[in-house]
Amino acid sequence: MINRVLIRTRVLQVAYAHLHRGELSLSAAEQDLELSLQRTYDLYLYLLQLIPSLTDFYREVLEVRRRKHLATQAERTPNMRLVENRLAAQLSETPELTAWYANFGLRWEDDEALLRHLLRKIERSELYQDYTHGRSSDSWAADQAFWLEAFHQLIAGDELLNEYLEAHSIYWEDDLAVVEKAEVEERPHSEEEQLQQALQAAREAGTYQAVRLENGPVEVVKDFLEKTLRRATEEEGLQGQILPMFRDEEDELFARHLLRQLLMKGNDYMQFIEPVLSEGWSTERLADIDALLLRLGVTEFLHFPAIPTHITINEYVELAKHYSTAHSAAFVNGVLDAVARQLKDSGKIIKQ
């Protein structure tokens, strides 16, 4: 589940945090990376578990409504289609998910306010009305389609849900804060008060930019969840379809090796970067995040011969678009392209 897009993003975040805190301990950085990747995978499983947890809670809500002293006819004989959703039932019986949830520290059931909010949102939706009032077929495929659309349309972007996730793990927070920090890179950032003053000054000057990252780790996890739900089948449900943390051992090693080589030798790689910088982009004026992206690119050039240089360049250009300033993507693209050609010409790398 944790692909190389997520790995590069987490390595960038961990390295940036450690360099700015002055914590250059390699072991500490590796532990942070391992934890951030594990928490990313936990989020994938936790969001999958939301569907059966919501279903169980809805069953309890309907029973409470039915037992009301002045219950309406609709409350006494509720529509049970969502409670009896076959995909949700299969999720609740998936061994990998239930075993993980039994040992995980957080419980959806502990936040009834959030569950009520999401259920209210679902009940009020046109999607729910179509699903429960016979406008969709009574089939397993319709049950699957409902939760796919409900997650995509109603749940994934819910502000209260995102606030809940941010509150329970720094690794689940919206990457908006990272974008804000990058936009004021050359301003003071060591204290929260100074950062807020810098952000306010940027807003007043019209240079402030803040956007939700479409390819940030949390958004990528949500995308993988939808892909997992699509892979479910009527016969097997999610049996064997829960994605492993890493596709293979090679990806897991890639994460560790990339961070390790960056922290051990990253500063040395400026010798390849400095010669291709223009006069207007001296190393003294180079934003920290841009310098880190460039060093990561060079690290991949030198230590991962199986990754073509154009793949590496494209990946760090995409990261520059989201984690640095408006002009950084073109800058990172130009510098890494020039460095790649230089390394090939000098025989330091031999690959596409």
Side-chain angles (χ1 to χ4, degrees):
M1 193 229 72
I2 296 179
N3 60 14
R4 296 201 175 187
V5 172
L6 280 171
I7 289 172
R8 290 183 178 96
T9 302
R10 288 309 194 194
V11 169
L12 172 67
Q13 292 172 332
V14 168
Y16 184 88
H18 273 253
L19 292 171
H20 275 250
R21 291 199 303 256
E23 298 176 10
L24 298 179
S25 165
L26 181 59
S27 61
E30 288 179 329
Q31 289 173 5
D32 270 4
L33 177 62
E34 182 178 345
L35 179 60
S36 72
L37 293 173
Q38 179 61 58
R39 288 294 174 262
T40 301
Y41 186 61
D42 287 340
L43 177 60
Y44 163 71
L45 297 174
Y46 195 48
L47 287 174
L48 276 174
Q49 177 60 39
L50 177 57
I51 293 174
S53 292
L54 264 175
T55 302
D56 290 342
F57 185 69
Y58 192 39
R59 183 179 290 106
E60 295 173 7
V61 167
L62 292 182
E63 182 62 20
V64 170
R65 290 175 184 174
R66 189 182 69 81
R67 291 175 178 272
K68 284 170 52 178
H69 179 61
L70 297 176
T72 65
Q73 179 62 28
E75 289 172 330
R76 285 195 297 270
T77 57
N79 188 308
M80 300 295 288
R81 185 163 184 195
L82 182 56
V83 169
E84 296 171 354
N85 182 284
R86 283 155 283 202
L87 178 64
Q90 289 172 328
L91 272 168
S92 69
E93 297 169 358
T94 302
E96 304 101 306
L97 186 60
T98 55
W100 171 86
Y101 194 51
N103 295 295
F104 190 53
L106 294 178
R107 313 293 297 178
W108 288 114
E109 297 81 3
D110 291 339
D111 197 327
E112 287 194 6
L114 174 62
L115 295 182
R116 288 185 187 279
H117 163 75
L118 293 175
L119 283 175
R120 191 178 302 115
K121 192 172 182 180
I122 289 172
E123 283 187 304
R124 292 174 178 174
S125 70
E126 183 177 344
L127 176 67
Y128 176 82
Q129 297 304 318
D130 289 343
Y131 176 67
T132 57
H133 289 80
R135 291 190 284 272
S136 65
S137 62
D138 184 9
S139 64
W140 181 91
D143 287 353
Q144 178 191 40
F146 172 81
W147 274 117
L148 271 167
E149 288 303 312
F151 185 82
H152 183 74
Q153 295 180 22
L154 306 173
I155 296 176
D158 184 79
E159 186 174 341
L160 196 61
L161 173 64
N162 288 326
E163 288 177 0
Y164 169 88
L165 295 176
E166 290 172 16
H168 285 82
S169 176
I170 62 171
Y171 299 107
W172 295 349
E173 65 183 331
D174 188 341
D175 293 300
L176 187 61
V178 179
V179 180
E180 290 179 324
K181 187 181 292 184
E183 289 297 325
V184 294
E185 188 74 54
E186 297 181 4
R187 295 178 180 272
H189 56 267
S190 58
E191 299 292 340
E192 178 64 20
E193 182 178 353
Q194 290 177 312
L195 175 58
Q196 293 305 318
Q197 291 173 352
L199 290 173
Q200 184 58 36
R203 292 186 185 99
E204 294 172 356
T207 59
Y208 172 82
Q209 181 182 5
V211 294
R212 181 178 290 275
L213 301 189
E214 294 181 359
N215 71 338
V218 173
E219 299 307 313
V220 171
V221 167
K222 292 173 181 176
D223 184 56
F224 272 114
L225 181 142
E226 293 185 31
K227 291 177 180 177
T228 300
L229 294 181
R230 288 192 184 94
R231 292 171 60 181
T233 65
E234 183 173 4
E235 295 76 20
E236 300 293 334
L238 272 294
Q239 302 287 344
Q241 299 301 329
I242 302 294
L243 298 172
M245 183 169 172
F246 292 99
R247 181 185 61 181
D248 51 36
E249 185 179 1
E250 187 176 338
D251 276 359
E252 186 173 2
L253 292 174
F254 171 73
R256 296 175 184 171
H257 194 42
L258 180 61
L259 179 67
R260 183 173 299 169
Q261 294 302 322
L262 172 71
L263 294 183
M264 289 176 61
K265 303 177 181 177
N267 288 334
D268 296 341
Y269 297 154
M270 290 305 296
Q271 65 178 301
F272 304 118
I273 297 168
E274 288 174 350
V276 303
L277 294 176
S278 66
E279 291 184 6
W281 286 99
S282 63
T283 53
E284 289 77 16
R285 294 188 63 242
L286 191 60
D288 288 351
I289 195 74
D290 291 345
L292 187 53
L293 287 165
L294 294 175
R295 293 202 296 269
L296 275 164
V298 175
T299 301
E300 279 198 28
F301 290 159
L302 295 172
H303 293 279
F304 299 91
I307 302 177
T309 56
H310 74 274
I311 295 295
T312 294
I313 293 171
N314 289 342
E315 291 294 337
Y316 290 108
V317 167
E318 287 302 310
L319 284 172
K321 290 178 182 178
H322 296 288
Y323 288 92
S324 195
T325 61
H327 304 291
S328 289
F331 168 71
V332 168
N333 182 69
V335 172
L336 286 182
D337 183 64
V339 172
R341 283 188 275 108
Q342 178 190 81
L343 292 174
K344 289 176 183 178
D345 292 344
S346 62
K348 290 183 171 63
I349 60 174
I350 303 174
K351 57 179 176 177
Q352 293 181 332

